[in-house]
Amino acid sequence: MSRCASGVDRWRRRTARVGLVGAALAGLVAGLVVGGPPAGASAEASAAAGGRKTITGEIDGAEYRVELPARWNGTLVLYSHGYFLAEWVPEGVQVANRVETEQWLIEHGYAVAASKFKNDGVGYGVQDGVTDQVALLDWFEEHVGEPRRTVSSGMSQGGLIAALLAERNPKRFDGVAAMCAEYDTHATWNSGLDITFVVKTLLAPGEDIELVRAGEDAAASRDALAAAIDRALETPQGRARLALAGAVANIPGWYAAHEPKPRTTDELVAAQSLWTKWAYSYGIGPVGRTELEARAGGNPSWNTGIDYGRLLARSSQRDLVRDAYAAAPGGDLGADLKRLAKAPRIRPDAKAVAYQYRHGIVRGTTPAPVVTLHSTGDGGAVTDQERWYADQIRRHGNSASLRQLWVDRGGHCSFSSADELVMLRTLLDRIDDGQWPSTTPTRLNASVSAMGPAYQKVLDLGTGADLPLEPAYTNFTPPRMLRPSR
């Protein structure tokens, strides 16, 4: 069997296993579902073993859950969840990315809390998330007590919320722990438009696909994009164009958390196309945009004035594109770039752009220490978000207040609970001591190993498999963001 066939067949097998909702999670939504008592119309408290208490309730239409240890050490970890798809909303309220993380924190005296946000947390709920988390913190301080220190934590879209909470409430948070975060979500949606624009123009010319303002046609447009991606994988020229679609947004060719990074051109493109299909066509494609547009009062994304040849020249994936076109008989990168240049452009609505600038972008101030954690192969929240965030902090905050940590894995938010807890303990040491502990990969991996086997499982959001993996903290330099909002 040829390498090409092997890579594409592996893609087909994985897609068949995953299904629509499971695969879409790989780009966008929160991790392992954390069960909890159902929320009621008012706060309810129940005593658990050893004096632990679970408190659930609702504030202004947003469910919340608070977990109190038998002996509280005075620290509250306020958790913000990621982007929920309408097809997949977890039951109850998550108070940590993994259930083992929640259990460890409570067993060691930490209080944990989270709001699910209004509308069951579905979609682009950044504005709701900030409002609802502050309301929950107010409730906690009134009914439980004022924490000695409060940590704002979050994953994916919730990482943005976690950072915004500290920036906008500088006296109420002592630290930020952001996992697989997007700090410039306006850039994410613009890059998502670039990806689907290339797919539509080069792989589905003439088809009735609405990339923005899709309305009732959103699901049909989403499905047409996905079908075009599937067809493209059948031919070398199609795969070359898929590589170009991913490259204009720095999308890496590493999708699976439990597998090593692909090595051949066809395998890299096949993995990259999974991000293109599930995260950017299904997740924040036409259907996801319809939800955002309803919040923002129109379409916030555009590609007027964008030169895709220049984007490609600066892309971290440009070599993959050149290799893919070189392997495609009749493939002509220059001709395809000219087709993109001539294609009609999409303009934004000014009101919606203003909405994104108000709610979807951090400033980069650092009123409290910040630690971030990211997978090197993340294509749902690309690693260039971290580089952009560090640049903003250099301009508007204090770089000494930031530590950015990396694990060498594919997938979105592909962390073990040990990875998360080592990150959190790094932040807590900084809060307590006023200086960062050593964050070399050797030290961090030793700390992960010391947590024991119960804390080593990593969830692959694409397949749903939850398997133990070796510690993988590493050094990494992310690429520059191709279309930053500022």
Side-chain angles (χ1 to χ4, degrees):
M1 180 181 293
S2 70
R3 287 182 176 178
C4 168
S6 175
V8 174
D9 286 346
R10 186 178 296 110
W11 181 90
R12 288 196 187 110
R13 289 196 297 271
R14 187 178 300 124
T15 302
R17 290 198 308 269
V18 170
L20 167 61
V21 175
L25 300 183
L28 297 166
V29 299
L32 211 58
V33 176
V34 178
S42 60
E44 299 179 357
S46 60
R52 169 178 167 176
K53 289 184 178 180
T54 297
I55 306 172
T56 62
E58 186 176 290
I59 301 173
D60 294 334
E63 293 181 61
Y64 69 84
R65 178 160 66 101
V66 176
E67 297 289 345
L68 297 175
R71 293 185 178 181
W72 184 31
N73 64 15
T75 298
L76 169 66
V77 179
L78 185 67
Y79 174 77
S80 298
H81 69 72
Y83 185 108
F84 289 164
L85 299 171
E87 299 92 342
W88 187 90
V89 179
E91 295 181 3
V93 182
Q94 296 172 277
V95 294
N97 189 37
R98 291 191 60 94
V99 67
E100 301 97 334
T101 303
E102 172 190 343
Q103 291 170 346
W104 188 96
L105 288 170
I106 296 168
E107 289 170 1
H108 288 77
Y110 296 89
V112 292
S115 171
K116 197 172 188 178
F117 315 155
K118 297 178 183 67
N119 190 39
D120 253 354
V122 171
Y124 191 76
V126 176
Q127 181 181 9
D128 288 342
V130 171
T131 300
D132 295 337
Q133 291 286 60
V134 170
L136 178 56
L137 182 57
D138 290 341
W139 180 94
F140 187 98
E141 291 179 351
E142 179 179 354
H143 292 88
V144 178
E146 185 170 347
R148 181 170 58 87
R149 57 185 181 182
T150 301
V151 171
S152 179
S153 75
M155 59 89 72
S156 195
Q157 183 175 272
L160 165 66
I161 295 170
L164 287 174
L165 283 167
E167 286 191 354
R168 296 177 181 182
N169 304 273
K171 296 182 179 180
R172 303 191 70 178
F173 293 93
D174 300 280
V176 176
M179 297 172 283
C180 46
E182 296 174 290
Y183 311 96
D184 182 355
T185 56
H186 192 30
T188 298
W189 289 86
N190 267 335
S191 291
L193 177 61
D194 291 333
I195 293 171
T196 54
F197 180 81
V198 174
V199 171
K200 176 185 176 180
T201 303
L202 299 182
L203 299 174
E207 293 191 32
D208 187 15
I209 297 175
E210 298 294 337
L211 300 181
V212 301
R213 308 181 188 94
E216 295 181 355
D217 297 328
S221 295
R222 172 200 66 193
D223 294 344
L225 288 168
I229 293 166
D230 289 344
R231 290 194 307 269
L233 283 165
E234 301 289 340
T235 67
Q237 188 176 67
R239 291 191 289 274
R241 288 169 171 167
L242 283 174
L244 177 57
V248 298
N250 273 343
I251 305 303
W254 196 359
Y255 187 80
H258 297 156
E259 298 179 12
K261 184 177 181 178
R263 303 183 70 175
T264 70
T265 297
D266 287 307
E267 289 175 345
L268 286 164
V269 173
Q272 186 188 52
S273 70
L274 285 166
W275 292 117
T276 299
K277 179 176 180 178
W278 297 116
Y280 297 98
S281 297
Y282 274 98
I284 63 169
V287 174
R289 284 186 179 279
T290 300
E291 194 273 341
L292 170 60
E293 289 166 2
R295 292 179 184 268
N299 165 46
S301 302
W302 73 89
N303 65 351
T304 50
I306 298 301
D307 184 329
Y308 288 101
R310 289 185 178 180
L311 284 189
L312 176 61
R314 295 187 288 112
S315 172
S316 62
Q317 304 300 312
R318 60 186 177 274
D319 289 342
L320 177 61
V321 173
R322 290 166 182 157
D323 290 345
Y325 272 89
D332 189 334
L333 176 58
D336 283 346
L337 290 172
K338 288 180 180 178
R339 287 176 63 187
L340 292 173
K342 293 179 180 179
R345 292 300 201 254
I346 294 170
R347 295 182 180 277
D349 297 310
K351 179 181 178 181
V353 173
Y355 178 91
Q356 282 284 65
Y357 272 94
R358 284 197 305 274
H359 302 296
I361 308 171
V362 299
R363 174 69 173 165
T365 59
T366 49
V370 179
V371 63
T372 71
L373 178 62
H374 222 104
S375 304
T376 59
D378 194 336
V382 288
T383 59
D384 52 23
Q385 289 274 344
E386 298 289 357
R387 183 162 180 165
W388 178 86
Y389 185 41
D391 287 343
Q392 300 309 301
I393 287 178
R394 275 191 288 273
R395 295 175 186 176
H396 306 292
N398 178 6
S399 293
S401 295
L402 174 67
R403 279 292 181 276
Q404 294 183 299
L405 310 179
W406 303 92
V407 294
D408 195 26
R409 296 191 187 106
H412 182 46
C413 306
S414 50
F415 314 127
S416 68
S417 57
D419 294 330
E420 296 176 35
L421 289 166
V422 167
M423 174 198 67
L424 278 169
R425 287 159 62 183
T426 297
L427 176 64
L428 293 169
D429 285 348
R430 168 62 176 80
I431 294 171
D432 288 342
D433 300 337
Q435 58 185 8
W436 292 102
S438 170
T439 54
T440 65
T442 299
R443 178 193 171 275
L444 295 172
N445 286 326
S447 298
V448 169
S449 295
M451 292 292 297
Y455 297 93
Q456 306 301 328
K457 288 184 178 181
V458 174
L459 178 68
D460 186 307
L461 290 172
T463 64
D466 197 31
L467 302 174
L469 293 181
E470 293 294 320
Y473 273 102
T474 190
N475 292 316
F476 181 71
T477 301
R480 292 191 180 278
M481 187 180 289
L482 297 179
R483 288 190 63 188
S485 296
R486 61 168 184 262

